[in-house]
Amino acid sequence: MKIGELAEKTGMAPSAIRYYEQSGLLPKAERGANGYREYADAAVERLRRIQMAQGLGFSLDAIRSVFAAGNEGLSKDELVYRLDGRLKEIEQLMGTLREQQQHLQAVRVTLLESWAEGECLNAEALAKDKLAKAVPPHRPKAHV
């Protein structure tokens, strides 16, 4: 099938398909006598797997490593292992985002209080004095 048909079947732009081909995620297409790319039917499934993995937040390098192993799929154990790894990454990201949210809220409160008192704070003052008072110390969670 030609790239337009493949794009239609997968909902991807032809430029994305060409990119995946150039970056090794999609096997090189055969070229017809007219020079057009001719993709095998298996390209549809490969592109759908790429879309699904990207939708779950896997990097193109991680996806490429699966395909580089020479198999189209992972064993059940390997799939669960990779999903667990991604879940752990998400938990870490969520923790970082929660900390940033707390810091932003503390900076906001500090600024509003300072402005209400007629003070104008610079970044150094925020970092040293006011913010240190506004942000509670980080306490590790107790393990039960």
Side-chain angles (χ1 to χ4, degrees):
M1 80 186 84
K2 292 186 177 54
I3 196 166
E5 185 180 351
L6 183 58
E8 189 176 310
K9 285 185 177 186
T10 61
M12 289 184 160
S15 59
I17 295 170
R18 285 190 291 274
Y19 173 77
Y20 291 144
E21 184 180 342
Q22 291 167 353
S23 66
L25 286 163
L26 186 64
K28 294 278 185 203
E30 298 291 322
R31 295 282 183 162
N34 56 7
Y36 291 165
R37 288 177 168 91
E38 291 286 335
Y39 292 93
D41 291 338
V44 174
E45 181 62 23
R46 171 73 73 105
L47 289 172
R48 286 184 179 146
R49 288 179 184 197
I50 292 168
Q51 286 176 312
M52 183 181 67
Q54 280 191 295
L56 294 172
F58 288 96
S59 69
L60 291 180
D61 286 337
I63 299 167
R64 190 177 293 108
S65 72
V66 170
F67 293 140
N71 54 5
E72 281 299 306
L74 298 172
S75 69
K76 292 176 185 176
D77 291 339
E78 180 67 16
L79 180 58
V80 169
Y81 174 78
R82 288 180 185 247
L83 291 173
D84 287 344
R86 181 67 185 132
L87 286 167
K88 192 177 288 186
E89 287 175 12
I90 291 170
E91 277 301 316
Q92 290 170 344
L93 288 169
M94 289 172 67
T96 299
L97 289 172
R98 276 190 290 274
E99 287 178 16
Q100 288 177 356
Q101 181 184 39
Q102 291 169 356
H103 279 92
L104 285 169
Q105 288 170 339
V107 167
R108 183 180 186 279
V109 166
T110 300
L111 288 171
L112 290 173
E113 288 174 354
S114 296
W115 293 336
E117 295 171 8
E119 296 179 29
C120 185
L121 298 176
N122 62 23
E124 186 178 354
L126 271 175
K128 287 183 180 176
D129 302 322
K130 298 288 185 172
L131 190 57
K133 294 175 189 172
V135 177
H138 177 68
R139 293 187 185 106
K141 293 182 182 177
H143 296 283
V144 180

